[in-house]
Amino acid sequence: MPDSLHFLAMPNAAVDLADVLILPVPLERTVSFKPGTALAPAAILNTTDQLEFYEEDAGWSPFKHLTISVLPIFADNPALPAATWHENLSRHVASLPQNNLLIALGGEHSLTPSLAASRMPEPGTVLFLDAHGDLRASYEGSKYSHACPVFRLLEQGHQVVMAGIRSVYESEIALAAREPRITLFMDRELRGPGEWHAFLDKVRSLRGPLYLSIDMDVFCPSLVPGVGTPQPGGFSWHQMVDTLEVLFSRPQLDLRGVDVVEMVPEPSRVSEMVAAKLLQKIISFWGLALGFKHKPQTGSQMQIEYD
């Protein structure tokens, strides 16, 4: 992976001045099916060169107003025990400026608790979009497995709203049924308009500190085939956009961080493009909600020449 990555070929702003921070975290220790998640951050960011600056759903060019910085890669160190590496990640993220949008690019889903612990140390809500339950206390001998992040988030005291779930172990269903802090929307249930609107109403109702975690396998594999553990079914592109629009519909939203994880680069590069476009949507809707459209046009886009 190169030493310096960029979003849409824009220069990286000074970290303490950037409105948006993107942290590449190419961790791949516990993936249990298709390898390659460590290659995802660079593949996604390189694909952003094929995006337009104009974001059509919100109707503006976010980077005329927003500055962005892709941070240096937070690499794995196989010599470190998993606990030590995750503690180091949490400390690193806690050292970053806090009044911005932080998006971490994985890497595997085991990243989420370490990121949430540093950006949301008090109890909050995690909107967890995934094909899998990820509710194991441990998996294959490790509590830092990609099968365990929701269990770790509960240990941190958070509420978790889960959607898109369509692969789950029996004990995970039992835990979700008895745990009042979990709100679970199974994927097939979301096929019906009533349950889909109930999910959007739940997203609209979220208050207080919030963290957003998107496993790319939440999408239908016909749209995103490049994931570590694909499952039939899943979100369509427009369902995801609707979810984001509802989430960012409140200017008072206290979003502490975002991660996008578990993508595996594949020959068609469609998966990379979906992930790149997803980043653009998140940044655009967040910036619009916080009023950046009305701020001076001194963003990162204004610092480069383009056609």
Side-chain angles (χ1 to χ4, degrees):
M1 190 175 291
D3 293 333
S4 181
L5 295 167
H6 299 266
F7 190 98
L8 247 171
M10 292 180 290
N12 289 322
V15 173
D16 58 346
L17 299 177
D19 301 307
V20 180
L21 298 176
I22 295 183
L23 177 63
V25 192
L27 179 67
E28 185 173 345
R29 286 197 182 194
T30 71
V31 170
S32 53
F33 189 41
K34 291 167 59 179
T37 58
L39 304 174
I44 294 168
L45 289 166
N46 289 338
T47 302
T48 63
D49 290 355
Q50 303 304 313
L51 300 175
E52 300 288 355
F53 286 105
Y54 185 79
E55 196 282 291
E56 64 281 353
D57 286 317
W60 70 316
S61 296
F63 294 107
K64 284 186 176 179
H65 308 267
L66 290 161
T67 55
I68 188 167
S69 184
V70 179
L71 301 171
I73 296 157
F74 192 87
D76 188 16
N77 180 351
L80 291 177
T84 303
W85 188 89
H86 281 274
E87 289 167 4
N88 290 347
L89 175 61
S90 289
R91 280 196 295 270
H92 176 67
V93 172
S95 73
L96 298 172
Q98 299 289 309
N99 58 341
N100 51 42
L101 175 62
L102 174 71
I103 304 176
L105 282 183
E108 61 183 50
H109 215 164
S110 62
L111 300 168
T112 299
S114 302
L115 297 164
S118 56
R119 295 291 285 197
M120 196 166 66
E122 73 275 44
T125 302
V126 180
L127 179 57
F128 195 88
L129 307 180
D130 198 320
H132 303 87
D134 290 355
L135 276 159
R136 310 282 186 110
S138 65
Y139 186 66
E140 295 182 338
S142 174
K143 71 176 187 176
Y144 297 99
S145 168
H146 71 119
C148 305
V150 175
F151 195 93
R152 303 275 84 79
L153 292 167
L154 293 172
E155 287 183 328
Q156 293 173 10
H158 303 306
Q159 298 186 58
V160 185
V161 177
M162 307 172 68
I165 309 301
R166 53 197 190 274
S167 179
V168 63
Y169 192 57
E170 184 177 2
S171 64
E172 294 178 294
I173 285 290
L175 174 57
R178 68 175 183 268
E179 174 52 72
R181 290 174 297 163
I182 294 176
T183 304
L184 176 62
F185 293 90
M186 297 294 288
D187 183 64
R188 191 173 181 189
E189 295 172 350
L190 297 178
R191 303 302 99 189
E195 193 69 8
W196 176 250
H197 288 299
F199 166 63
L200 293 182
D201 287 344
K202 180 64 177 180
V203 172
R204 191 178 289 111
S205 74
L206 297 176
R207 297 292 186 272
L210 179 68
Y211 186 94
L212 172 62
S213 181
I214 302 176
D215 188 317
M216 290 298 289
D217 67 23
V218 75
F219 286 106
C220 177
S222 63
L223 176 63
V224 181
V227 293
T229 315
Q231 293 290 327
F235 273 37
S236 71
W237 173 250
H238 293 294
Q239 283 181 308
M240 179 61 74
V241 174
D242 287 350
T243 301
L244 295 175
E245 283 187 327
V246 167
L247 180 67
F248 290 105
S249 63
R250 294 181 293 104
Q252 70 273 26
L253 179 73
D254 184 12
L255 183 68
R256 300 298 182 86
V258 178
D259 62 58
V260 176
V261 298
E262 295 281 350
M263 200 214 79
V264 173
E266 41 86 14
S268 78
R269 302 188 68 182
V270 171
S271 301
E272 289 95 308
M273 179 57 76
V274 174
K277 192 83 169 178
L278 179 62
L279 293 182
Q280 183 193 43
K281 297 294 180 189
I282 292 168
I283 294 167
S284 173
F285 294 167
W286 175 84
L288 194 69
L290 270 66
F292 279 91
K293 189 174 183 178
H294 306 293
K295 295 188 177 182
Q297 294 190 10
T298 56
S300 296
Q301 180 182 339
M302 310 306 290
Q303 301 176 36
I304 61 174
E305 294 184 4
Y306 57 92
D307 294 326

